[in-house]
Amino acid sequence: MRFGLDYAGGRPGGAAIRAAGFDFVVRYLSDGGPTLPGKLLTPAEADDLRAHGVSIASNWETTAARMLDGYGAGVVDARAGLAQVLRCGGRQDRPIYFSADFDATPQDQQRINAYLDGAATVLGRANVGIYGGYWSVSRALDSGSATWAWQTDAWSGGNVETRRNIHQTLRQPVVGGVVCDLNVAETTDFGQWDFAEEADVTPEQEAVLRDIQIQLRGPGLSGWPQLGTDEQGRNRTLVDGVAAALARISELEDEVGELRTEISELEATTADLTEQVEKSCGRRWPWPLSLVEGPANLVGEQLARLESMLPDLPGLPGQGGGTQHTSSSDELDSRAKR
């Protein structure tokens, strides 16, 4: 059971309608003139209602007794109504309720039914509905002229048409500053534009779907103990387990990224240290020879210096212009000096 509104004196807006606890409206497809500025459903209003999750069903009404104009009037009004439905984003396969907004007599019913028959040539019989009191609605349903019924408590004498889809009560709440009529949807599909037909399934298909549900949600639909518990201590379902695993993977990826950053920093530091070591070592000797590196260098330098002085020392072979003859004593003395 769903609760909704119909209105013509203004447009409350989707937000106000939802805030007041209603989730559908029956909206008019015809202009009400200056005295009823909110009667006509506009594309902008339809968009606003949909944006706030408010379902829309549609009605055509110009004057209270318009249906007494018969078949031709039904054709004209159905064409105009369908055009407005499509202009507002509605569907061609959804019903339009046509209003008998007066206390119709049995004699009036023939022309009412003719009007509905004319509308059916445009919409198809399956999409023709009637709004009215108990007797006009019941007679239209009995004759097959209407398929959908929106019964008002007015002109009903307390009688209930059990085939009705929508019940218009006599209550008139004020929503968004607009006086509205309170309605109750008494069937799941009451002609709303956003209704989606549920596909029938065989018992075998239902068993398969149930098995899939158990696999996903665990025995008794209470989760799988093997997957651990959530923050509230409840066993995780398969979906919860996958979500937890993905979250952990994301955490690990972040940790791996941080480790990679640290490794890169360490590699850069190691490279800097290696470069500094190479610069500081240069051509030095390895330890422990490096301990005598200084003295050895000094000795090497002195030897190189003496070697450079050897050609200038007297008495060395190759010096002077001729051959010198010395005594044995002079030679010995010379050797001794060296």
Side-chain angles (χ1 to χ4, degrees):
M1 186 176 293
R2 297 172 60 178
F3 297 90
L5 305 170
D6 71 273
Y7 45 86
R11 297 181 179 88
I17 291 171
R18 289 294 294 189
F22 303 102
D23 67 357
F24 79 88
V25 294
V26 185
R27 293 295 289 121
Y28 297 97
L29 305 173
S30 56
D31 191 353
T35 59
L36 295 174
K39 185 174 182 179
L40 177 66
L41 173 67
T42 66
E45 181 193 4
D47 289 341
D48 174 64
L49 293 169
R50 280 188 289 261
H52 290 90
V54 179
S55 299
I56 304 170
S58 49
N59 170 274
W60 178 273
E61 178 183 351
T62 52
T63 59
R66 167 65 171 171
M67 296 181 78
L68 295 181
D69 291 339
Y71 186 93
V75 173
V76 172
D77 291 353
R79 287 174 178 167
L82 179 59
Q84 186 66 10
V85 166
L86 299 178
R87 193 175 296 119
C88 294
R91 293 160 46 184
Q92 192 167 358
D93 63 340
R94 296 277 73 199
I96 296 176
Y97 294 93
F98 296 91
S99 292
D101 202 5
F102 62 103
D103 190 8
T105 67
Q107 291 73 29
D108 295 327
Q109 195 69 41
Q110 183 176 357
R111 285 182 288 175
I112 290 173
N113 291 350
Y115 177 97
L116 297 172
D117 292 342
T121 65
V122 178
L123 305 176
R125 183 70 65 187
N127 296 320
V128 174
I130 182 172
Y131 164 88
Y134 171 78
W135 286 279
S136 58
V137 166
S138 297
R139 289 190 292 257
L141 292 174
D142 290 342
S143 68
S145 295
T147 305
W148 301 79
W150 178 15
Q151 182 191 351
T152 177
D153 281 344
W155 315 300
S156 290
N159 294 289
V160 174
E161 172 50 68
T162 58
R163 293 170 290 180
R164 67 189 181 188
N165 303 99
I166 306 174
H167 170 210
Q168 184 189 65
T169 72
L170 298 178
R171 293 175 56 192
Q172 292 188 311
V174 177
V175 178
V178 179
V179 177
C180 306
D181 292 318
L182 174 63
N183 294 272
V184 180
E186 298 191 344
T187 55
T188 303
D189 181 5
F190 52 91
Q192 67 272 37
W193 295 357
D194 57 359
F195 178 77
E197 188 97 27
E198 295 184 4
D200 293 332
V201 296
T202 65
E204 292 78 10
Q205 291 171 329
E206 185 175 358
V208 171
L209 293 174
R210 173 61 64 177
D211 183 63
I212 293 173
Q213 186 182 35
I214 291 173
Q215 293 299 321
L216 290 173
R217 299 182 62 84
L221 308 182
S222 300
W224 293 97
Q226 301 93 319
L227 298 178
T229 57
D230 59 17
E231 296 177 353
Q232 287 75 39
R234 297 171 298 193
N235 292 333
R236 289 195 178 106
T237 66
L238 184 58
V239 174
D240 296 333
V242 171
L246 291 174
R248 182 54 183 156
I249 290 172
S250 179
E251 293 174 359
L252 291 174
E253 287 176 344
D254 292 340
E255 293 176 8
V256 169
E258 293 174 359
L259 287 174
R260 284 176 177 166
T261 301
E262 293 178 6
I263 290 171
S264 297
E265 293 173 351
L266 288 173
E267 288 176 343
T269 302
T270 301
D272 291 340
L273 290 174
T274 301
E275 183 178 356
Q276 293 176 15
V277 169
E278 290 177 350
K279 287 181 179 179
S280 62
C281 289
R283 298 177 62 185
R284 293 180 179 276
W285 295 0
W287 190 88
L289 296 179
S290 60
L291 298 176
V292 297
E293 181 179 3
N297 287 339
L298 179 60
V299 171
E301 291 172 359
Q302 296 300 323
L303 288 175
R305 182 167 176 271
L306 288 173
E307 187 178 19
S308 66
M309 297 173 59
L310 285 176
D312 299 329
L313 293 176
L316 291 177
Q319 288 183 336
T323 303
Q324 294 184 347
H325 297 280
T326 59
S327 65
S328 298
S329 60
D330 292 337
E331 185 176 351
L332 289 172
D333 183 54
S334 176
R335 287 178 182 175
K337 289 179 179 179
R338 278 189 283 175

